[in-house]
């Protein structure tokens, strides 16, 4: 098993009420930082040698990190900062560990995929 905690579908859907506003903020912060020329993955301005030449990160980056840490502390995996893609660890009735998958803008959790499969391998919840 990759995870100690697993969400039921109902628990994951309930968590969305807290997580979706944070996801929206993360997506917005990522866009703002990109527009300023800041690479959130390398933690530096594009073409720069350090965080910003003054040894500190932009306020938006600090807040983005705080939000990511809050979501991770809930045992939810963030897969894409630009689209708000997240995965909830889940156990199928056959004992297989999979992810319940949600992307910002979807009405709810509507798909799942194997741990190895990723977004491209999403399947309908009817197949869960």
């Amino acid at each position: 098993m990759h995870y100690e905690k697993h969400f039921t579908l109902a628990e994951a859907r309930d968590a969305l009420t807290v997580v979706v506003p944070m996801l929206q903020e993360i997506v917005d912060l990522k866009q703002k930082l990109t527009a300023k020329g800041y690479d959130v993955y390398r933690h530096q301005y594009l073409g720069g040698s350090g965080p910003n030449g003054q040894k500190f990160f932009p306020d938006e980056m600090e807040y983005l990190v705080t939000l990511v840490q809050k979501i991770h502390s809930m045992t939810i995996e963030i897969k894409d900062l630009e689209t708000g893609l997240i995965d909830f660890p889940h156990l199928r009735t056959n004992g297989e560990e999979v992810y319940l998958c949600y992307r910002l803008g979807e009405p709810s959790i509507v798909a799942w995929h194997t741990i190895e499969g990723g977004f491209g391998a999403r399947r309908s919840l009817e197949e869960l």
Side-chain angles (χ1 to χ4, degrees), residues 24-37:
Q24 186 61 62
E25 284 188 88
I26 288 169
V27 169
D28 293 345
L29 288 166
K30 167 68 172 78
Q31 288 175 352
K32 286 177 186 175
L33 287 161
T34 298
K36 288 182 174 184

Side-chain angles (χ1 to χ4, degrees), residues 1 5 8 14 20 23 28 32-33 35 38 46 48 51 53 60 62 77 81 83 88 93 102 107 112 114 123:
M1 293 281 162
K5 176 181 175 33
T8 65
D14 285 346
V20 167
L23 275 180
D28 293 345
K32 286 177 186 175
L33 287 161
Y38 191 81
L46 301 175
E60 297 94 341
E62 297 287 350
E77 294 287 321
L81 298 174
T83 63
F88 296 82
T93 55
Y102 174 79
W112 68 279
T114 63
R123 300 182 199 174

